[in-house]
Amino acid sequence: MSAGLNLAQQEAVNFLHGPCLVLAGAGSGKTRVITHKIGRLIQAGLEPKRIAAITFTNKAATEMRERAKGLIGKAANEVVICTFHALGVRMLRQDGGVMGLKPQFSIMDSADVTGILKDAGGTTDAATARQWQWTISLWKNMGLNSAQAMAIAKDDNERTIAKIMARYEERLTAYQSVDFDDLIGLPLKLLQEHDEVRTKWQNQLGHVLVDEYQDTNATQYEVLKCLVGEKARFTAVGDDDQSIYGWRGATLDNLRKLPQDFPNLKVIKLEQNYRSTSAILRAANNVIQPNPKLFPKTLFSELGEGEPVRVVDADNEEHEAERAVARIQSLRAGTDAAGASHREFKDFAILYRANHQARIFEKALRKAQLPYKVSGGQSFFDRAEIRDLCAWLRLWVNNDDDPAFLRAVTTPKRGIGHQTLQSLGVFASQYKLSLFEALFSNSLPSVLSTRALSGLHEFGRYVNDLEFRARLTTGAEDARAFLTDWLKDIGYEKHLYDAEDSEKLAASRWTNVMEFCDWMAQRCGGEIDDAAGVSIGSEKKNLLEVAQTIALLSTLSEREKDQNVITLSTLHASKGLEWPHVMLVGVTEGMLPFRLDDEPGTEHTNENIAVRLQEERRLMYVGITRAQRTLAVSWTRKRKKGRELIAAQPSRFIAEMGLDKTTVKEDPREKLKALRAEFAQRASAASAESAANK
Ligand code: ATP
Ligand code: MG
């Protein structure tokens, strides 16, 4: 197992029986330590299912499982590799019963929560509801319930939110539902308050490994402590300089506390960077230098000096996008200093601060006919048609899920009107029933007309029937047939065409529906890895089992694996990843670092600004260190502020990179050369193809 590991990495991998922290800069092989350590633990006799490796995203979990498979083969299927949230789901499904939670509880995603809060707080304004959501989420992450939040509320506004939080809690309980924060908070409660559950999990897990430890929050740390218990057999790897989720409650205190809470903690530092050239690494080290140091670190690379880091200036965003495209074309056409050519699209990434910046780059790439994907953008599961289908699936799994009930009963319309649903709602809350339970109540006829009642009953019976049949599906073919029948039954395709003015749009929505069904079917067949990690291995599952984990996934990320396309990504979503050629765009003062006073509703104390600036600097450090061979950083002379265009300067971080003073001016010949090369390449590909066809 020591192949491809340096001495310090080997030390971390071989330290099996106590708490271990690997603290090291970007690209030094921390994630590699985790995958190799999984293999080492198995080799040392630990059963694969007694190892848990916790990653920051589902996608990272899928990748880690792939890597582990490469090292240890099939055994990797049994290792628990998932996010903290998915682990929480697993714990709650198995043991949530002792807290009164049914195993088939629903998981409300962020959009569901906004909807419930609008309702609970009596507003139609989504922005207000989202602000409440934010505050409630922070409270929950601090381990507070609504009563405790009320006790610490600072002003009337916070007291109002605490009241709404109380109503929100009631509703979640009534719907047998949890939100994302509960997926951490409730398992913690479970472990803290139920000794037998805690003992069970401590015995179950022989070693816990945590990647990207610097971005865990306080509750996650407590969960970790409960899981590992006295024996404290765990491995955390992280980099304080890459902590970029402070705004979401992640805290570096978790790193500070570790040596205090575990006095026998083995701390291992890695100093060699295996990812980037010296030129890139120097820029990264320079940028992070002004930040206060939690732990001093040094990083070196033996990959040679490499190409100098380029600074590209542009007039505006359109121009910046054009230059990025030209750069990709010219890099693809040539060879680098080491004589290697990079023709693969997947070797390139364009990284930016905020989601909305992607659009202009997408346009430019489309115009140049270069294939790309946007990661970390609007999620597949946020599309209306997918939410429709998920509502039905959720209702089958958990009849008490009222939001799912309301969506399913009205999509497609089946002649059950608003009035009927309102009466049903009043009746249900009077008798403390879920809408679905209320529907079959013997007293319901007293408040509804016979016609309304029979419509509801018919719907109820239909749902029961579907639920029964869905439970019997095993494997992909079964699931596919079931889903096709069901969609035909409810006339979903027709519903899409009726609802959309544009046929093209309806068709594309229908394609999404088909893609979703296909993906569900594959998961039922165990053909694709269960990225949410809630169930393991490749055994066949029924549709309901698969449906339970959907809320945890935000993309069909498994499909992205083999795509040979250029990546567009936010800096936040690029964490842990690497590409041969990276372009950081919008490195313009006011955009990165993001200008605090562009943001409404935040307090701007000096301390607050300093802390935010440090996090922005870490974001820049993360961006730079994604690059393996070449890095270009671009800025624009004008930037948008609201609807206006204002004059702008290069980001202070560009100066902090300490590059040669000569910025690279746009050279029209560069573009021409790139176009020629691209043309020649296409022409030769075309002639090769026609030769092959002869
Ligand atoms: P980040 O901080 O960005 O998450 P990391 O510390 O997790 O980075 P890895 O992603 O594990 O770093 O490794 C960076 C690159 O270096 C990967 O391509 C990995 O395969 C390679 N690498 C790591 N260790 C070694 C080694 N000992 N020998 C050769 N290559 C290595
Ligand atoms: Mg990593």
Side-chain angles (χ1 to χ4, degrees), residues 108-118 130 133 180 381-382 387 394 403 407:
M108 298 286 162
D109 66 18
S110 174
D112 297 319
V113 171
T114 317
I116 298 175
L117 283 174
K118 272 190 194 166
R130 272 198 291 272
Q133 188 171 351
F180 281 164
F381 292 93
D382 285 339
R387 296 186 72 84
R394 263 163 52 182
R407 189 157 187 143

Side-chain angles (χ1 to χ4, degrees), residues 183 207 480 498 503 505 518 541:
L183 292 179
H207 202 102
R480 203 168 276 130
D498 290 348
E503 254 187 40
L505 208 57
D518 198 48
K541 299 177 215 35

Side-chain angles (χ1 to χ4, degrees), residues 501-514:
D501 291 336
S502 134
E503 254 187 40
K504 214 170 132 202
L505 208 57
S508 105
R509 286 182 180 271
W510 182 245
T511 310
N512 289 337
V513 168
M514 294 283 88

Side-chain angles (χ1 to χ4, degrees), residues 398-669:
N398 171 17
N399 294 161
D400 291 338
D401 187 335
D402 285 356
F405 177 96
L406 288 173
R407 189 157 187 143
V409 78
T410 50
T411 322
K413 295 255 178 298
R414 49 175 56 243
I416 295 176
H418 184 64
Q419 206 73 53
T420 307
L421 290 174
Q422 204 164 23
S423 312
L424 180 70
V426 172
F427 178 87
S429 67
Q430 200 174 1
Y431 291 94
K432 298 214 178 319
L433 300 170
S434 69
L435 294 172
F436 195 81
E437 282 172 324
L439 180 134
F440 290 112
S441 157
N442 290 335
S443 341
L444 189 64
S446 62
V447 298
L448 280 178
S449 73
T450 328
R451 217 183 116 245
L453 199 64
S454 82
L456 282 175
H457 280 168
E458 191 190 298
F459 175 72
R461 277 193 299 271
Y462 183 51
V463 169
N464 277 339
D465 178 47
L466 287 171
E467 182 190 326
F468 179 74
R469 280 168 27 207
R471 206 176 292 285
L472 294 182
T473 57
T474 47
E477 277 324 302
D478 252 17
R480 203 168 276 130
F482 172 86
L483 291 168
T484 314
D485 281 356
W486 160 59
L487 288 172
K488 212 182 275 166
D489 248 15
I490 61 172
Y492 194 75
E493 189 176 6
K494 180 170 181 306
H495 160 78
L496 285 180
Y497 279 87
D498 290 348
E500 282 303 342
D501 291 336
S502 134
E503 254 187 40
K504 214 170 132 202
L505 208 57
S508 105
R509 286 182 180 271
W510 182 245
T511 310
N512 289 337
V513 168
M514 294 283 88
E515 192 177 332
F516 176 74
C517 290
D518 198 48
W519 177 78
M520 287 291 291
Q522 285 185 41
R523 286 168 67 96
C524 288
E527 288 165 27
I528 40 180
D529 187 39
D530 177 16
V534 174
S535 57
I536 29 170
S538 49
E539 78 270 24
K540 291 184 176 177
K541 299 177 215 35
N542 76 44
L543 251 178
L544 296 190
E545 288 167 321
V546 171
Q548 282 187 319
T549 63
I550 291 177
L552 277 187
L553 301 170
S554 55
T555 55
L556 296 180
S557 52
E558 293 95 321
R559 309 216 139 192
E560 289 171 9
K561 238 184 332 200
D562 297 325
Q563 281 179 311
N564 185 12
V565 298
I566 298 162
T567 300
L568 294 182
S569 170
T570 61
L571 288 164
H572 281 100
S574 75
K575 206 169 70 150
L577 306 177
E578 58 191 19
W579 294 269
H581 305 286
V582 170
M583 276 162 268
L584 299 183
V585 300
V587 190
T588 306
E589 192 66 22
M591 293 173 75
L592 180 68
F594 188 74
R595 214 184 135 89
L596 285 174
D597 43 3
D598 275 8
E599 191 178 291
T602 28
E603 286 173 48
H604 303 302
T605 61
N606 282 345
E607 193 200 336
N608 176 331
I609 290 178
V611 168
R612 287 285 302 266
L613 184 62
Q614 286 164 16
E615 183 148 322
E616 295 290 302
R617 187 175 279 119
R618 292 194 292 263
L619 203 51
M620 180 75 181
Y621 175 77
V622 167
I624 297 172
T625 53
R626 298 310 97 199
Q628 295 172 305
R629 287 168 168 269
T630 76
L631 173 67
V633 176
S634 67
W635 66 280
T636 56
R637 277 182 222 91
K638 293 218 168 66
R639 72 172 178 98
K640 280 200 203 96
K641 183 184 177 188
R643 293 222 175 97
E644 274 171 81
L645 269 185
I646 59 171
Q649 301 290 324
S651 164
R652 69 188 78 185
F653 298 148
I654 293 185
E656 288 178 5
M657 290 200 300
L659 308 172
D660 289 346
K661 291 288 169 274
T662 47
T663 49
V664 183
K665 291 281 175 227
E666 182 169 31
D667 180 355
R669 280 168 305 179

